[in-house]
Structures are given as structure tokens and as C-alpha cells.
Amino acid sequence: SEAADPIAALRALSAEKVLATSKAVMFGAGAVTYPPGNTFGPVVDGWVLPDDVQTIFDEGKQNLVPLIAGAAADEFTLFIPKSPFDSVEAYQGFLKKIFGKYTEDILAKYPAKEPGEILKSLCDYVGDIQFVTGARRFVRAMEKAGGKAYLCLFTMTFPAPMAALGAYHGCLLYTSPSPRDRTRSR
């Protein structure tokens, strides 16, 4: 933004520099580490999006239109194909680093008593943090501002081989009827 021609300056940057900067801005120091890519988010431009979305909702400045927000039941199974932990102790140690004295409370909600349970618990935890929590916050903020808001949990799964992923992130995009089917059902 300081350059004489900001667009030319942006175009001159390498893709690696743009992604690294985006990741730092989106996730900050000490945040959860994500794989490369998928690091861009909404752009506050002062016109279409006048401020950070969460700030707009926190201040009750959102448009009061009916809102539906939600998540899929198994959001993160698509992103974590296998457990990064080789033991229950390693999983518990990971949670202890994050939650300290509250680790037992978290383990009560996301338990793993044997290695085969770690992946499901981890995916449930990260899905709740990344998707469910945000949806709940937006619904509550809309209701607080006097608007109508609905919270949904998508649970439909595909047949094999995708069934093992459950109701994963984005699967509801593939379960909607095609435009042709919608036309016939009217």
C-alpha cells in the first residue's frame, strides 16, 4: 500500500511471498500450523466489506437478513487423512501444550483411550474449533442484533468409498439436487 503503484508492486511479488505473508496475517504467531495453501480469507476493502467480519458482527453492524450458519458433522476428516500421533500419550501431550490445566476437560469431550480413536477425536476437535465455533458465534451475534438466525449440522454421508469420511467439509455442495432436478420438483 506504500508503493507508488500498489498493483504493480503486488504483481511483482513471488507466489511464495504472497502465500507466506497471507499465512502470517491469517494465522498469526503461535497459531495452529496449517499445510501450504488455503490461507486467503475475506479482504476488508472498506466498501463491500467495510471491516473484519467478526468485528462487524460483534458490533451489531451486520445486515439484518435471515442467516443460516453451520458445519458438517465430520468437517476435518477430509483434511487429516491419518493421525499425526503414534500414541495416545502423544495426542494427550499435544492437548496439554494447548490447554494446560484444562486438558482433562478437553479429553472428556475429545477422548482417545486407544490409538485407533485418536484420528476421530482430533478431527472432531479441530472441526469444532475451525467451523462449529464460528458458526455458533455468528448465529448468536445475529440473534443479539435482533435478526433471525439458524444453526445447522449437516450429517448426510456418501456411499462407499467416501462413507469413511462421514459428513466431511464441503460434502453438502455435492448433495444438493442439480438445477435440472430442482426444476422437476417444483
Side-chain angles (χ1 to χ4, degrees):
S1 64
E2 310 274 327
D5 186 349
I7 294 174
L10 182 61
R11 287 180 178 149
L13 295 175
S14 69
E16 292 79 15
K17 174 72 174 170
V18 173
L19 288 172
T21 304
S22 171
K23 186 173 187 176
V25 170
M26 291 296 294
F27 303 116
V32 175
T33 302
Y34 290 89
N38 297 322
T39 55
F40 289 99
V43 175
V44 175
D45 64 358
W47 184 56
V48 173
L49 194 56
D51 204 343
D52 170 70
V53 176
Q54 189 63 54
T55 301
I56 291 170
F57 273 74
D58 287 345
E59 295 176 357
K61 294 179 180 176
Q62 68 271 33
N63 292 325
L64 293 180
V65 296
L67 170 72
I68 299 174
D74 304 298
E75 282 285 356
F76 245 74
T77 58
L78 188 64
F79 301 109
I80 306 176
K82 68 179 200 137
S83 175
F85 305 106
D86 57 1
S87 69
V88 171
E89 293 75 24
Y91 169 69
Q92 292 172 345
F94 164 76
L95 293 177
K96 188 162 184 64
K97 283 182 188 176
I98 297 170
F99 295 105
K101 67 180 182 179
Y102 302 104
T103 303
E104 291 306 316
D105 296 330
I106 298 302
L107 285 169
K109 174 109 175 96
Y110 307 101
K113 305 255 189 269
E114 47 190 82
E117 298 173 339
I118 296 171
L119 182 59
K120 168 114 175 70
S121 292
L122 179 64
C123 287
D124 288 348
Y125 159 69
V126 179
D128 284 355
I129 293 295
Q130 293 292 316
F131 295 97
V132 175
T133 301
R136 291 178 72 183
R137 287 176 74 185
F138 281 127
V139 165
R140 287 178 181 156
M142 181 60 85
E143 289 175 335
K144 182 179 176 186
K148 290 185 178 183
Y150 307 89
L151 185 62
C152 69
L153 179 65
F154 187 82
T155 60
M156 186 174 151
T157 61
F158 283 103
M162 299 301 283
L165 294 175
Y168 57 88
H169 180 75
C171 73
L172 70 138
L173 298 174
Y174 304 107
T175 58
S176 300
S178 70
R180 185 180 57 183
D181 292 338
R182 282 193 293 262
T183 303
R184 277 189 284 184
S185 66
R186 287 185 183 165

